[in-house]
């Protein structure tokens, strides 16, 4: 797995966003850009988002998810497949809170509209050199 | 719908890629970048790709798909939800073939590894000004 984390870091040094996909209630994939994860430990990635957002409802209904990182200029990309948890306990929210987030969540760390997304990757595909390499986490 | 097509065109003038998501056999979303569609008519978008690719198998098994266009610099994006067909009939292949594609499909327009993807959008979400607007096609 280490080589793929290195390749991921090569991409995230150059790019400012990642792409998160959920499954809608009708079973369609749905993708949107988000800023890079605020933290990663091994195969676990954390984001913060609005509790009221569509994707939070979609992840509650179906935790199957992917996160994708891409550098179009070099035709490289890496997608991780796994599950997304929505965390709203205050301990987690305090742990991830930063002062600057009041622009998104006006009520601060206890804002009910502030939550943390925890993605656990199970496997991935690396796209580079015009081929795809599957890897396990 | 027209306003969203205009917003899409604003993005595709600046960006070189789009993001296509499929559903894996285990029910996970899977996203990868592709060059922009080679053609669009109203709510129908065409791409070409390798018949042997994972995504072709995934779209054959489950045609539910989304395509996403994004301009990270302006925090704008547009996602279309719909269905993806894999077209391999020679008439379609001839219609979309261009000489430069031999770098991808060495045997030319009759290459069995060359196919056309036809995406028909049913609805979409536009992300801009820090809000989401749903629209029907």
């Amino acid at each position: 797995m280490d080589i793929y984390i290195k390749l991921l870091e090569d991409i995230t040094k150059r790019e400012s966003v990642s792409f998160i996909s959920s499954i809608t209630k009708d079973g369609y994939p749905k993708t949107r850009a988000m800023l890079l994860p605020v933290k990663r430990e091994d195969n676990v990635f954390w984001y913060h988002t609005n509790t009221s957002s569509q994707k939070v409802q979609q992840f509650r209904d179906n935790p199957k998810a992917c996160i994708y990182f891409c550098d179009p200029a070099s035709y490289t990309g890496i997608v991780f497949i796994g599950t997304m948890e929505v965390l709203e306990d205050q301990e987690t929210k305090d742990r991830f809170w930063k002062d600057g987030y009041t622009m998104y969540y006006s009520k601060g760390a206890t804002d009910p509209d502030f939550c943390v997304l925890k993605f656990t990757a199970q496997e991935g595909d690396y796209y580079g050199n015009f081929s795809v390499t599957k890897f396990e986490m």
Side-chain angles (χ1 to χ4, degrees), chain A:
Chain A
M1 173 183 125
D2 289 352
I3 185 175
Y4 298 104
I5 294 299
K6 173 71 175 60
L7 290 164
L8 168 66
E9 288 170 351
D10 287 345
I11 294 174
T12 56
K13 265 179 221 162
R14 295 188 298 264
E15 301 294 319
S16 62
V17 297
S18 54
F19 301 90
I20 294 200
S21 300
S22 57
I23 305 277
T24 70
K25 64 177 167 41
D26 298 318
Y28 289 85
K30 195 161 196 175
T31 302
R32 75 285 285 158
M34 287 185 74
L35 294 176
L36 293 176
V38 290
K39 184 179 170 69
R40 182 189 61 77
E41 277 178 9
D42 298 328
N43 66 327
V44 181
F45 300 74
W46 284 269
Y47 293 86
H48 61 86
T49 195
N50 296 91
T51 315
S52 58
S53 63
Q54 269 186 21
K55 62 183 166 306
V56 164
Q57 188 58 53
Q58 288 161 359
F59 292 133
R60 286 194 214 274
D61 292 344
N62 185 342
K64 291 181 178 181
C66 75
I67 62 175
Y68 176 64
F69 302 85
C70 174
D71 175 12
S74 65
Y75 291 97
T76 54
I78 189 162
V79 63
F80 297 92
I81 302 289
T83 53
M84 190 75 82
E85 292 168 73
V86 179
L87 303 179
E88 291 188 90
D89 64 284
Q90 196 54 48
E91 188 186 327
T92 301
K93 289 171 63 156
D94 287 341
R95 188 170 146 223
F96 283 93
W97 178 259
K98 290 183 183 168
D99 286 346
Y101 293 175
T102 48
M103 66 182 285
Y104 308 114
Y105 320 105
S106 60
K107 295 176 186 161
T110 60
D111 193 325
D113 201 33
F114 165 55
C115 71
V116 173
L117 295 177
K118 178 184 177 187
F119 176 80
T120 304
Q122 290 151 8
E123 59 176 51
D125 278 355
Y126 175 74
Y127 299 84
N129 302 314
F130 301 96
S131 68
V132 187
T133 311
K134 191 180 174 75
F135 59 90
E136 301 292 326
M137 302 299 288

